[in-house]
Amino acid sequence: MSHPPDNPGAGPGALEAGRSTWNLPDPAYDLVVAGAGHAGIEAALAGARLGLRTLLVSMSLQTIGQMSCNPAIGGVGKGQLVREIDALGGEMGRLADRAGLQFRMLNRSKGPAVWSPRAQSDKFRYAQLATQTLSDQPGLDLRQGLVTDLVLQQDRVVAVELAGGVRIRAGAVIVCAGTFLNGLLHVGASRSPGGRAGEPPALGLSEALARQGIEVRRYKTGTPPRVDRASIRFDAFDEQWGDAKPAPFRFYEDLISLPQQCCYATWTTPRTHEILSENLHRSPLFTGRIEGTGPRYCPSVEDKVVRFAEKDRHQLFLEPESLAGREMYVNGFSTSMPEDVQLAALRSVPGFEQARFTRPGYAIEYDYFPAWQMDVTLRMRGLANLFFAGQQNGTSGYEEASAQGLLAALNAAALLDHRDPVILGRDQAYIGVLLDDLVNKPLPEPYRMFTSRAEFRLLLRQDNADQRLMPLGHRLGLLEQWRWERFQVRQETRTRLLDWLAQTAINGRALLSQEPEPQVPQAHDNQRVEPNPAVDVPASTTQRATEWLKRPELTLHMLLQAAPEPWFTELDDDLITSVEVDIKYAGYVERQRRAVESFRRNEQVPLPEELDYKSLASLSTEARERLSLVRPRNLGQASRVGGVNPTDIQALWVHLQRRPQESPSSTTEDAVTPSD
Amino acid sequence: MLSEARDTIVALSTPPGVGAVAIVRLSGPRALSLAQSRLEPRGADGTVLLHGRAQVRWLIRADGRRLDQALILAFHAPNSYTGEDVVEFHLHGSPWLVEELLADLRQEAVVAEPGEFTRRAVERGRLNLSQAEGVRALVEARSGLAHNLALRSLSGESGRRVQDLLQDLLDLLSLVEAELDFSEHEIEPTPVAELLSRAASALQRLESWRASWRLGRLSHGAQVVLVGEPNAGKSTLMNALLEDSRVLVDEEPGTTRDAIAQELRLGDLSITLWDTAGLRDTEGRVERQGVARTRELVEMADVILLLRAPNQPGIPELAQQESCLPVLSKADLVGAVADLRPGELAVSALSGVGLPELKAALHQRLVAEDWRSLDLVLTEARHVQLVDVATQCLRRFSAALEAELDRPLSAADLREAAEAVGAIVGGADFDDLYHLIFSRFCVGK
């Protein structure tokens, strides 16, 4: 641990079990959420919307919903998370649409299974809309303050303590501290405590939790400088526009309204690399001043120059941060070099000769709590009602944080209402993959979502998140009623479309006579092979639309045009994509569904909560240790715990078979065998 | 059985019955103390069982009565076969002695289940799965071939080949996934030709491994079936090959009405040799069943010895089969050689003429290639199945790439192939992908 030894924020050690002599003037809340970043916003809104009396505590009520790093929501793997959050009834998609300055469907050339929506955001608008939404939410109170401690009775948190000593009673607590816990900012050799540039760190809470035996570690991340728009020569750059027809994150409602903005692309120069290389001795990364581990997928520019010395240029993107301000975000130029080096290096890039920083780039080290200490509902083990969500769990990204905030709140509500926990499977949602990975795997770096983390990727698509998750959102009571009704109507339309495809015979001539589909010019879309219906289609053939659709070169749009029906106006893009992909990918989709079945077999073999892994001599030493820590819920989860191998799973399974038949849910009868 | 507080297990490790020496083996946490309590003198300084040191000592029962003078060999955990404390008692090979000792030790140890010593070795990480399969194969080896292939598994050599392939597949997958998870600004796309050539190299290995099964399955015993019309001399030839009169012979056609199997050692091969009912249209119900059985055996045969006596027409439809080795029997008959057809081997079971040539031809037919030069020889049906799955997936992967189908589909096939190959050696770790991607590509904005 590299915490400063003198810690002014560490209050009196209130984390003492069994203390009962305190009086609370404040009203009690069902749920207290500490932190108003992306995880906290989602957690607080979901809590209140599910009927919990909820309090959101933030160090500053002026900085709710900040975009501390890039002014964008979504991206590959992340856009899917946003759509899932939306389908469950969460807020992020709605905020991102309303604050969106430029929308792109990434990966459009690579197949719908990996299409990923991303939007540039107006960071001021985003924060303002978030503040507004929280303020308008009935059942939700906001309070400025720094949570420094938790008050425990036995294994329950009964109150949070704010700096200054005020205590607020809570039925459940969700900690969403982001990068603020013992945050330390680095710019060159200069080091200053801070949770984000210009804001103080949160001190006290880490130590209080560590006293409870919760393990705390350090990660680091970084951000690029922001540059004054007025100091940039834009004609040196390539313009990058968004999709002509922006696709919203939110299902069934288009709230995109801001004027769409341009981004810019350019490259670093050999001179840039020289300047950086010559000054490595001044970089806190290379001089060992930064001890935390950073993400390999988000290296600083000095890191890129060192690790990929053979590349003579790296791409940079310039992104607007807001409509109101002049700041531009220099994507690709994350750095913690001294400010003079940052500036000299950036000015070596044509177009930036006169660049003026509005803020320099910096690196930040912060505390995180390895998530293997939590169960898959993000509840801290050994504490009945304390949840953790967001970056302080060892993730990175607004979307990953939001998803955790939402799930933590759903589970806090389930806990308080004595309902079953809400657990999404890896076969159901990226959110399920996220939480499952987080609590099971040892993470070598801050965790970010990739589509390749989802083994059932062909099933988990951005276009069908509503079908996958809205029924759950509705059942939990989070999804708005009108959207649920809309969902049901759409499902009928979907069935109607499938029937139509299965029954309608179309002659090849009707398809041939069509011009190739006018492709809406889409950004990023320079690789897509132009569909050419003339190839290989025997004109005289008449066959069912479903059969035509299986041909790679034909699209559902073309079939719909070949035999138009009035009700086609009810079809929207997501619906068309999801039906088209399900049919085109049918063989693969079917194979993944079968794989899901076999995956579920192990997921359905429960592992008793009280199982004493340490006494299971048939397990390898490492498996005993890891399983005791993680305490998986079922055999499937156990198989994904790092350090556990198939022999261990076999041994566990054998052990389960031999246990006395104490639980009625014993699986012996089903003869469920482990699939690995 | 596996249990929580690990038992100490005991079993006879040599074959039951009278022999020069019988070895009883103990393994588990109490192996050393239990053994010490059964040695004379009890409790004295000399009773410490040193690791790897052989001692000749008096073996006693729990009540102190002497049982046998035995060689005692101890191995301390983790440097033993099972990774636990292990003690071996080398007794005089009397079944009664063994029974007495086991009955005595059973008071404090449990009888091991079949294969439990090896299973413990796997669980303690002393052996990997593929090596354990090698142990079983080695124990069961009935021929030089089986023995040699088992040694390869045991040494981990085969496992390493599979690991190499798995690594190549993960590497290929990382190239494909990198393009799906990162924008074209971050990742230089790998030329399709390179992806295809990497896939082709993996396929080539899988195909050669698959082909090696033809040989590998022989390590479980080769199936050789004698087939011919009634009275072709099948049973007589069988007896000659076995150098023993195992099978009833008679001039009466149709004497053999059911298939009979005998084991034949042929060089480094163990062969199951089948004598069968002669093939003919028959009225007899029993004989008809025998003929049906013959046809089944023909299906599964590694080699068909197709016999024809001089002046018999033979069975032309079988003669076309690749597995067929045509033999002209009764070569000692007058004029027999005049009837010899091209490709037929003339053999006289009576005089022994042609028998060595037949044996050589049979061995040559079974083991055509020099298996010692093969990269890897599959000897387990489970592995063959996985190799087949991987092959299928890789072929689909390449076809989808060539047809420019959506990349996520190709990726799904490739992942499945890697899973199948990984399953041979105990699993593929897909988290390695990110390491591969990040070390190759400069990603991140």
Side-chain angles (χ1 to χ4, degrees):
Chain A
M1 293 289 302
S2 56
H3 296 162
D6 54 330
N7 191 340
L15 252 180
E16 291 163 24
R19 229 174 94 170
S20 58
T21 54
W22 41 283
N23 283 314
L24 300 171
D26 298 75
Y29 288 93
D30 297 321
L31 177 65
V32 172
V33 176
H38 301 277
I41 291 168
E42 214 65 71
L45 285 173
R49 286 168 181 169
L50 291 175
L52 304 180
R53 271 189 55 76
T54 304
L55 177 71
L56 177 61
V57 184
S58 171
M59 289 170 69
S60 161
L61 292 182
Q62 269 93 55
T63 56
I64 288 171
Q66 295 293 296
M67 298 187 146
S68 322
C69 197
N70 59 327
I73 299 287
V76 179
K78 293 162 172 273
Q80 284 88 335
L81 285 172
V82 181
R83 298 218 82 185
E84 290 179 356
I85 291 166
D86 180 71
L88 286 168
E91 194 62 28
M92 181 171 244
R94 196 158 162 265
L95 290 172
D97 286 345
R98 293 160 79 200
L101 291 175
Q102 182 192 92
F103 290 78
R104 282 181 177 197
M105 188 63 80
L106 304 183
N107 268 346
R108 210 180 258 284
S109 64
K110 297 167 188 169
V114 291
W115 286 4
S116 306
R118 180 180 187 272
Q120 298 295 147
S121 293
D122 182 322
K123 68 175 180 184
F124 296 146
R125 185 65 67 100
Y126 193 97
Q128 180 214 334
L129 288 167
T131 309
Q132 184 81 58
T133 309
L134 292 166
S135 306
D136 291 348
Q137 178 61 47
L140 174 62
D141 294 343
L142 304 183
R143 150 116 209 193
Q144 186 158 299
L146 171 64
V147 174
T148 53
D149 210 342
L150 304 170
V151 184
L152 295 188
Q153 275 180 354
Q154 280 89 45
D155 67 338
R156 295 190 76 82
V157 178
V158 292
V160 299
E161 184 171 299
L162 305 188
V166 172
R167 291 172 167 191
I168 300 168
R169 259 185 294 179
V173 173
I174 305 178
V175 177
C176 307
T179 59
F180 274 69
L181 294 174
N182 289 314
L184 188 61
L185 311 179
H186 295 260
V187 182
S190 116
R191 248 195 317 210
S192 56
R196 174 166 54 217
E199 294 177 45
L203 305 175
L205 189 55
S206 288
E207 289 73 14
L209 292 165
R211 280 197 298 275
Q212 284 303 303
I214 294 171
E215 184 173 340
V216 188
R217 292 189 194 172
R218 299 286 270 180
Y219 268 154
K220 77 109 193 165
T221 188
T223 195
R226 314 301 198 270
V227 179
D228 186 339
R229 167 192 291 279
S231 70
I232 297 172
R233 194 165 56 79
F234 284 97
D235 58 10
F237 306 143
D238 295 331
E239 290 192 357
Q240 302 257 309
W241 288 94
D243 293 345
K245 188 181 163 197
F249 287 106
R250 186 166 168 82
F251 281 101
Y252 315 160
E253 189 178 26
D254 186 347
L255 296 170
I256 301 170
S257 60
L258 294 185
Q260 297 297 288
Q261 302 298 303
C262 184
C263 294
Y264 302 87
T266 187
W267 300 87
T268 58
T269 65
R271 179 67 196 136
T272 319
H273 297 198
E274 251 171 56
I275 296 171
L276 292 168
S277 303
E278 284 162 7
N279 287 282
L280 286 178
H281 61 283
R282 298 178 63 197
S283 154
L285 270 184
F286 291 93
T287 51
R289 289 179 73 90
I290 293 181
E291 290 161 12
T293 315
R296 287 171 297 177
Y297 48 82
C298 204
S300 64
V301 66
E302 53 269 31
D303 216 11
K304 293 183 193 178
V305 166
V306 171
R307 287 184 47 221
F308 295 91
E310 72 283 2
K311 294 192 80 167
D312 56 3
R313 59 178 202 169
H314 294 284
Q315 186 138 33
L316 302 178
F317 293 94
L318 221 61
E319 302 170 353
E321 292 219 308
S322 69
L323 291 174
R326 298 203 311 219
E327 286 182 292
M328 298 291 284
Y329 179 92
V330 190
N331 197 331
F333 208 78
S334 170
T335 178
S336 55
M337 284 291 204
E339 186 169 342
D340 61 304
V341 180
Q342 293 186 21
L343 191 61
L346 190 64
R347 283 185 168 180
S348 70
V349 176
F352 284 117
E353 295 91 346
Q354 308 293 320
R356 202 166 44 241
F357 285 173
T358 54
R359 332 171 183 213
Y362 63 90
I364 177 166
E365 283 186 285
Y366 56 96
D367 289 349
Y368 78 99
F369 308 104
W372 47 256
Q373 304 175 93
M374 302 157 205
D375 70 18
V376 77
T377 69
L378 297 181
R379 185 171 60 162
M380 184 57 73
R381 249 172 248 300
L383 291 169
N385 58 349
L386 177 62
F387 295 83
F388 283 70
Q391 190 150 3
Q392 107 249 289
N393 284 358
T395 60
S396 83
Y398 311 140
E399 305 79 5
E400 287 85 348
S402 275
Q404 292 174 68
L406 178 57
L407 266 285
L410 290 174
N411 278 297
L415 180 79
L416 295 174
D417 296 349
H418 306 287
R419 285 183 283 109
D420 285 340
V422 181
I423 298 169
L424 294 172
R426 300 182 70 89
D427 54 332
Q428 258 183 306
Y430 275 89
I431 300 177
V433 173
L434 169 69
L435 296 200
D436 191 72
D437 278 351
L438 213 50
V439 302
N440 291 321
K441 294 187 175 164
L443 304 176
E445 65 197 323
Y447 181 99
R448 81 156 257 197
M449 186 47 72
F450 296 112
T451 67
S452 49
R453 297 199 194 266
E455 58 270 54
F456 304 117
R457 176 168 64 193
L458 299 181
L459 306 179
L460 309 186
R461 305 188 308 263
Q462 59 89 28
D463 61 75
N464 67 9
D466 58 336
Q467 293 170 57
R468 291 185 279 120
L469 296 174
M470 276 193 174
L472 177 63
H474 168 68
R475 202 161 63 243
L476 294 170
L478 199 57
L479 185 68
E480 308 93 311
Q481 187 57 30
W482 75 264
R483 284 214 294 167
W484 174 242
E485 283 159 15
R486 182 71 193 279
F487 171 80
Q488 289 168 301
V489 171
R490 247 170 123 266
Q491 286 302 90
E492 283 166 28
T493 311
R494 188 171 203 279
T495 310
R496 192 170 177 189
L497 178 56
L498 287 169
D499 289 346
W500 180 85
L501 285 166
Q503 287 159 13
T504 308
I506 295 181
N507 186 276
R509 264 184 287 269
L511 293 168
L512 266 176
S513 63
Q514 282 184 39
E515 287 300 305
E517 189 175 335
Q519 290 271 301
V520 186
Q522 301 286 10
H524 274 263
D525 202 5
N526 38 20
Q527 286 192 345
R528 181 75 164 165
V529 181
E530 201 70 11
N532 180 4
V535 172
D536 227 24
V537 181
S540 54
T541 312
T542 297
Q543 58 180 352
R544 304 282 172 208
T546 315
E547 295 308 312
W548 282 119
L549 194 48
K550 286 180 182 160
R551 306 182 70 97
E553 71 276 14
L554 294 181
T555 66
L556 182 47
H557 272 295
M558 296 161 77
L559 293 169
L560 296 176
Q561 280 169 28
E565 301 262 356
W567 58 271
F568 285 176
T569 52
E570 294 165 34
L571 303 174
D572 59 67
D573 286 348
D574 283 329
L575 188 57
I576 289 175
T577 304
S578 87
V579 167
E580 177 170 341
V581 176
D582 279 349
I583 292 175
K584 279 194 182 296
Y585 287 8
Y588 284 85
V589 164
E590 187 44 44
R591 269 178 29 231
Q592 289 220 328
R593 284 196 204 289
R594 280 204 301 274
V596 164
E597 291 308 312
S598 98
F599 162 79
R600 283 191 185 150
R601 257 184 295 161
N602 279 359
E603 302 295 304
Q604 283 160 3
V605 180
L607 291 171
E609 179 68 24
E610 73 288 353
L611 190 60
D612 182 9
Y613 294 98
K614 291 248 158 81
S615 73
L616 286 175
S618 50
L619 298 177
S620 68
T621 314
E622 192 184 1
R624 271 191 299 234
E625 270 164 27
R626 296 284 307 157
L627 290 170
S628 302
L629 285 175
V630 172
R631 306 210 69 79
R633 287 174 173 266
N634 57 56
L635 206 56
Q637 191 192 340
S639 69
R640 294 188 294 278
V641 172
V644 175
N645 61 42
T647 337
D648 297 314
I649 295 305
Q650 195 78 37
L652 256 184
W653 183 74
V654 169
H655 171 75
L656 291 175
Q657 302 307 301
R658 292 177 68 234
R659 276 165 63 87
Q661 309 294 304
E662 55 209 24
S663 68
S665 64
S666 164
T667 52
T668 324
E669 290 299 307
D670 308 330
V672 188
T673 49
S675 56
D676 29 5
Chain B
M1 268 297 181
L2 301 167
S3 58
E4 295 83 87
R6 170 134 266 183
D7 296 322
T8 297
I9 49 171
V10 62
L12 173 66
S13 299
T14 43
V18 179
V21 175
I23 300 176
V24 169
R25 196 155 50 157
L26 270 173
S27 176
R30 295 207 322 281
L32 290 174
S33 60
L34 179 55
Q36 275 161 16
S37 73
R38 296 297 192 274
L39 298 176
E40 224 182 52
R42 267 196 286 202
D45 284 350
T47 58
V48 177
L49 291 171
L50 296 174
H51 174 79
R53 188 78 57 81
Q55 318 177 15
V56 178
R57 299 279 293 277
W58 272 102
L59 196 54
I60 54 174
R61 298 183 174 89
D63 59 15
R65 283 181 297 144
R66 281 186 174 179
L67 200 57
D68 188 15
Q69 200 169 33
L71 180 81
I72 315 298
L73 200 48
F75 303 93
H76 294 192
N79 299 313
S80 71
Y81 180 68
T82 58
E84 304 172 325
D85 286 337
V86 168
V87 179
E88 291 180 3
F89 303 99
H90 296 230
L91 314 176
H92 292 101
S94 137
W96 180 84
L97 259 179
V98 168
E99 209 25 70
E100 283 295 296
L101 179 63
L102 286 177
D104 181 70
L105 292 175
R106 265 203 298 270
Q107 299 169 32
E108 290 164 66
V110 292
V111 177
E113 301 198 337
E116 188 166 358
F117 286 91
T118 301
R119 193 167 67 211
R120 289 187 173 203
V122 172
E123 286 160 9
R124 296 272 166 174
R126 299 286 296 170
L127 296 174
N128 67 34
L129 211 55
S130 158
Q131 287 173 319
E133 282 166 335
V135 170
R136 199 200 61 207
L138 187 64
V139 170
E140 290 174 359
R142 288 185 301 174
S143 64
L145 176 72
H147 173 83
N148 250 298
L149 296 181
L151 280 184
R152 283 191 180 200
S153 290
L154 192 57
S155 69
E157 187 187 329
S158 310
R160 270 195 300 279
R161 306 265 181 214
V162 180
Q163 284 290 1
D164 287 348
L165 178 66
L166 177 60
Q167 201 49 47
D168 289 353
L169 290 177
L170 286 178
D171 210 39
L172 177 55
L173 184 59
S174 80
L175 293 175
V176 174
E177 291 291 9
E179 286 178 44
L180 297 179
D181 269 333
F182 296 93
S183 73
E184 47 268 41
H185 308 299
E186 299 167 273
I187 298 276
E188 193 100 0
T190 312
V192 174
E194 185 184 340
L195 300 178
L196 284 173
S197 97
R198 283 170 179 249
S201 139
L203 255 180
Q204 204 176 13
R205 268 172 284 171
L206 285 170
E207 281 162 0
S208 92
W209 296 355
R210 183 63 176 83
S212 77
W213 174 236
R214 209 192 72 77
L215 187 72
R217 62 195 289 257
L218 298 184
S219 68
H220 301 282
Q223 307 294 326
V224 175
V225 184
L226 288 158
V227 181
E229 291 154 280
N231 223 353
K234 299 179 290 295
S235 301
T236 311
L237 180 58
M238 173 126 164
N239 285 335
L241 285 169
L242 295 171
E243 295 166 18
D244 194 1
S245 300
R246 300 271 182 84
V247 193
L248 194 65
V249 247
D250 198 278
E251 283 171 16
E252 173 81 16
T255 304
T256 307
R257 299 207 294 186
D258 193 10
I260 295 166
Q262 291 293 339
E263 185 165 335
L264 168 68
R265 289 282 306 279
L266 192 63
D268 55 1
L269 291 177
S270 164
I271 290 173
T272 305
L273 189 61
W274 292 86
D275 186 18
T276 63
L279 288 176
R280 66 170 171 183
D281 295 328
T282 173
E283 298 296 312
R285 197 170 54 85
V286 177
E287 194 181 342
R288 220 165 43 224
Q289 284 176 7
V291 169
R293 175 83 178 116
T294 302
R295 297 202 183 276
E296 282 172 26
L297 287 170
V298 161
E299 288 299 305
M300 54 141 256
D302 293 305
V303 173
I304 302 166
L305 289 181
L306 184 57
L307 257 67
R308 185 177 69 85
N311 302 322
Q312 279 189 334
I315 307 168
E317 73 265 25
L318 278 184
Q320 303 308 313
Q321 289 203 7
E322 207 188 325
S323 56
C324 194
L325 187 60
V327 175
L328 180 72
S329 61
K330 307 184 185 177
D332 47 297
L333 289 183
V334 177
V337 178
D339 192 38
L340 190 68
R341 297 176 186 171
E344 273 185 342
L345 278 169
V347 174
S348 165
L350 285 183
S351 70
V353 168
L355 264 182
E357 290 80 2
L358 176 61
K359 284 184 179 175
L362 181 56
H363 190 274
Q364 164 73 19
R365 182 61 70 91
L366 283 168
V367 189
E369 60 269 78
D370 177 12
W371 54 269
R372 284 170 192 83
S373 68
L374 288 179
D375 175 40
L376 182 150
V377 179
L378 294 181
T379 53
E380 301 290 330
R382 179 179 81 88
H383 298 169
V384 174
Q385 218 170 17
L386 290 167
V387 164
D388 283 347
V389 170
T391 307
Q392 231 175 33
C393 290
L394 266 184
R395 288 203 179 120
R396 265 202 311 262
F397 168 79
S398 303
L401 268 187
E402 278 172 329
E404 293 181 30
L405 294 189
D406 285 344
R407 276 294 173 83
L409 300 181
S410 311
D413 280 324
L414 192 51
R415 179 181 282 260
E416 215 179 315
E419 271 169 6
V421 171
I424 298 177
V425 281
D429 186 356
F430 290 99
D431 290 336
D432 285 355
L433 284 183
Y434 302 103
H435 174 69
L436 293 169
I437 291 174
F438 298 140
S439 59
R440 182 179 286 124
F441 298 106
C442 181
V443 298
K445 292 182 171 174

